Amino acid sequence: MLKTVAGNSLQGRLLRRIFAICIIAIAVTFLTVYTQMDRSLDMLRDRTVEEQARDLSAYLVPGRSVNKAAFALPDRIRLFYAKAGPAYQYLVRDKGGQILFRSPYAYASYFPAVPAQDGKFNFVGPSGYAFKGYALRETLGGNDYDIEVAQTTRAAGMMSDQISDSFMRHLVWIGLPFCLALLYIIMSTVRRSFGPLAAAAREVGRVSITAPELQVREEELPDEIVPFIKAINFSFRRLAKSLREQKELTANLAHELRTPLSVLKTNIEMQGKTPQSAKILRDVDAMIKLVNQMLDMTRLEYADTIEMKDVDLSSILSQVCQDLWPLFLKAHRELRVSGVDAPVTVRGDQDLIYRAIRNVLDNALEHSPAKTPVEVSLSGCAIRVRDHGATIPEGLREKIFDRLQRAPSAASRAGAGLGLSIVARTMEIHGGRAGLEPAAGEGNVFLLDFGTAQGRKAAA
Amino acid sequence: MRILLVEDNRRLSEAVQESLMKAGFEVDPVHDGDGALAAASGQQYDAVVLDLGLPDMDGIEVLKKLRARRDTVPVLILTARDALSDRVDGLNKGADDYLVKPFETEELVARLKAVLRRPARALDAVLTLNNLSFDTISREAVVGASRLGLSRRETDLLEQLIRASDKIVTKKAIESRLYSYEEKGSVNSVEVLVHRLRKKLLAQEAGIEIHTLRGIGYMMTGSKEC
Ligand SMILES: Nc1ncnc2c1ncn2[C@@H]1O[C@H](COP(=O)(O)OP(=O)(O)O)[C@@H](O)[C@H]1O
Ligand SMILES: [Mg+2]
């Protein structure tokens, strides 16, 4: 399977970048809105003094005497200016600069006698507060009057602070769910878009060397991935080809080696039975055994190319027993088999299983004393081979399954110590276990357990 | 007894030919599939020893072609292929026996003799093994001049074992041949039957042994001493 290196995931990288971009975009938007709002608040403040001036101008009316204007402020407005204290001020002067009307707290001396062209003015009041003001020229009955309104910037600032506070609160309440929704949508969109990639990865993992079509399906994949999959498929094809060639080579090698060994053996046998020829024959047999075991080991090296099928453990065991029985008969040894009446299905390679059992049975025949029987049984998915030889000491029980490991007592016998390592490896490949237990009384029990998980007993 | 030996490796062919001739067979060696088919159609052989890896065609093809033209000559496959599937395939395609290289000459001769004992064609065949002969028509088993006096089931068992002499006959095969479905209840009935047959053969000094592979089946062989 494909492994994701932390921080190296395309999806993660993309998500991180999109998130960063989103956060920057949101921040920029927020800042823009905020400054924009501040500016409009400023304008609002400006307009406020301007409007106040205009408001007030409406109440400037011609007076009873000529050249005298009257200021008919409603009580409501008069009260406002009275209550606001120095924060809001106004005054009205005539052309000569004479103050005609004023709010109670107006800092009259700070107001410009002659207003600027645009009407705007600023001053700092006696207590240090800054003031912003506006002067409006009004003509009434041929006379010009200046209506001047001032207001502390603090009042204006306070107002804008309040507004921006509530704006922020709104922003959080509206913005947070919006951001979360955005996050979710981005994440699910990215996930969805990467779906085909993950599917392709699963597909690549699913393809096994032994599958008949060693190919990842290219349909339904996004165009960007297809070149990768094509490349993978190409190397899969090459791999399959070279594995096939390796396997064939091994098989051919088996053939090529067995035939000359047959010639050798037949020719020696034709010399007639002499002590000398018997000795040579034993050596040839040892060599044949070694060649066979080496071929088995080569096959086990290419475990990936082994095709697992449903096989009947019971009939394989029965076959091994039938094939080896003549050797037992020749040695006047008894072979007892049990548990092979009903089929027991496991997933595996029947030739590998056959030879694993055979190796154990060969050992029982070879390494246990004459006249003693050997018992073979199948129960569940476990095969047991029990002999009545000397019990293998505890310290050796694990070791003899290693390559080239033999008990000192076996030194005089033919064999290289490969048999049980082949057995152990075969069991490993089948998800099972090879083990050795002391038998009750004297002897050994070799266990080939194919595991309860993979076995299911079929009805006979 | 004339044997057709089909083996492409000249050295092995020569060696096998020599050892078979020593054992009293006449041997015609050929080295490819076409040669084998030509030889087999020109002459009636008693048995064919067939290698599977031939230069021009697979030995299994030769076997299939032989069987297709209704040639029932016993065929013993001799091959370097030791896979179970190859063996099953060979036997299914009509081979009579299967021997994996490298083999013992003694083993080859014994198997060949066993194969030759099985009369596939002869209707009036009398099967013999050591002192025992069994007439497949009259269904009578005779040792020397005296009849064995077997029951019907014992006779059936004897026939099954002698036809497959030197080969294992499974208990299952015996049961399905001897007993109808309902009768299979008694588990050790085959054992009892074998025991009785063995005793009768021994009493008459037939020179026959019935070996037991406990849990699997039985094999009939001629005793070595005879
Ligand atoms: N049934 C047995 N009884 C006693 N010793 C055994 C038995 N099976 C295996 N052994 C010991 O385990 C060793 C390793 O066995 P194996 O790997 O088959 O190698 P080899 O048979 O070629 O020596 C043998 O040499 C022998 O000492
Ligand atoms: Mg061994």
Side-chain angles (χ1 to χ4, degrees), chain A residues 258 269-270 323 337 351, chain B residues 22 80 84 87 105-106 214:
Chain A
R258 281 189 184 122
E269 278 167 345
M270 269 182 332
D323 290 349
V337 189
D351 287 313
Chain B
K22 252 191 191 168
L84 269 185
R87 174 152 44 149
T105 313
E106 252 175 56
R214 217 191 299 168

Side-chain angles (χ1 to χ4, degrees), chain A residues 254-255 258-259 261-263 265-267 269-271 273 285 288 292 316 318-319 321-323 325 329-330 334-337 340-341 350-351 354-355, chain B residues 7 9 11-12 15-16 18-19 22 51 53 80-85 87 101-106 168 170 172 211-219:
Chain A
H255 192 273
R258 281 189 184 122
T259 304
L261 283 169
S262 294
V263 178
K265 199 168 148 105
T266 312
N267 278 326
E269 278 167 345
M270 269 182 332
Q271 302 304 308
K273 275 187 184 157
D285 283 342
I288 289 167
N292 282 333
I316 298 173
S318 170
Q319 193 63 52
C321 293
Q322 292 181 39
D323 290 349
W325 187 40
L329 274 182
K330 222 189 236 172
E334 198 185 339
L335 180 62
R336 298 179 191 148
V337 189
V340 296
D341 294 325
Q350 60 173 358
D351 287 313
Y354 177 94
R355 281 197 288 268
Chain B
E7 166 62 64
N9 184 297
R11 301 263 299 129
L12 186 61
V16 172
E18 204 173 315
S19 53
K22 252 191 191 168
D51 179 29
R81 290 181 211 163
D82 63 345
L84 269 185
S85 50
R87 174 152 44 149
K101 291 178 192 172
F103 52 91
E104 316 246 330
T105 313
E106 252 175 56
I168 295 175
T170 62
K172 239 187 249 169
H211 304 280
T212 309
L213 174 51
R214 217 191 299 168
I216 293 187
Y218 305 90
M219 181 169 82

Side-chain angles (χ1 to χ4, degrees), chain A residues 289 293 359-360 363-368 387 389-390 392 400-402 404-411 413-421 444 446:
Chain A
K289 180 174 160 185
Q293 288 182 334
N359 270 306
V360 174
N363 280 346
L365 183 63
E366 205 174 327
H367 298 294
S368 66
D387 64 47
I392 296 173
I400 55 168
F401 286 96
D402 296 340
L404 306 179
Q405 287 294 326
R406 315 183 69 209
S409 58
R413 298 194 184 91
L418 290 177
L420 287 178
S421 72
N444 304 289
F446 281 86

Side-chain angles (χ1 to χ4, degrees), chain A residues 300-444:
Chain A
L300 289 168
E301 290 286 312
Y302 295 101
D304 273 355
T305 67
I306 293 162
E307 256 181 83
M308 294 289 187
K309 291 180 183 156
D310 275 349
V311 296
D312 179 11
L313 212 49
S314 161
S315 72
I316 298 173
L317 179 59
S318 170
Q319 193 63 52
V320 181
C321 293
Q322 292 181 39
D323 290 349
L324 282 185
W325 187 40
L327 297 180
F328 280 82
L329 274 182
K330 222 189 236 172
H332 302 286
R333 306 272 300 266
E334 198 185 339
L335 180 62
R336 298 179 191 148
V337 189
S338 67
V340 296
D341 294 325
V344 174
T345 310
V346 295
R347 280 203 77 73
D349 178 297
Q350 60 173 358
D351 287 313
L352 289 180
I353 297 175
Y354 177 94
R355 281 197 288 268
I357 302 171
R358 191 180 168 127
N359 270 306
V360 174
L361 217 51
D362 268 337
N363 280 346
L365 183 63
E366 205 174 327
H367 298 294
S368 66
K371 300 252 163 69
T372 59
V374 172
E375 288 131 26
V376 179
S377 72
L378 171 65
S379 84
C381 294
I383 294 169
R384 285 187 173 76
V385 177
R386 189 223 201 278
D387 64 47
H388 293 263
T391 307
I392 296 173
E394 175 115 45
L396 274 176
R397 273 175 215 155
E398 297 261 325
K399 267 199 200 144
I400 55 168
F401 286 96
D402 296 340
R403 265 182 205 175
L404 306 179
Q405 287 294 326
R406 315 183 69 209
S409 58
S412 62
R413 298 194 184 91
L418 290 177
L420 287 178
S421 72
I422 289 170
V423 173
R425 179 81 184 114
T426 303
M427 293 312 292
E428 198 181 305
I429 285 171
H430 285 83
R433 183 178 73 89
L436 168 58
E437 299 156 359
E442 213 175 13
N444 304 289

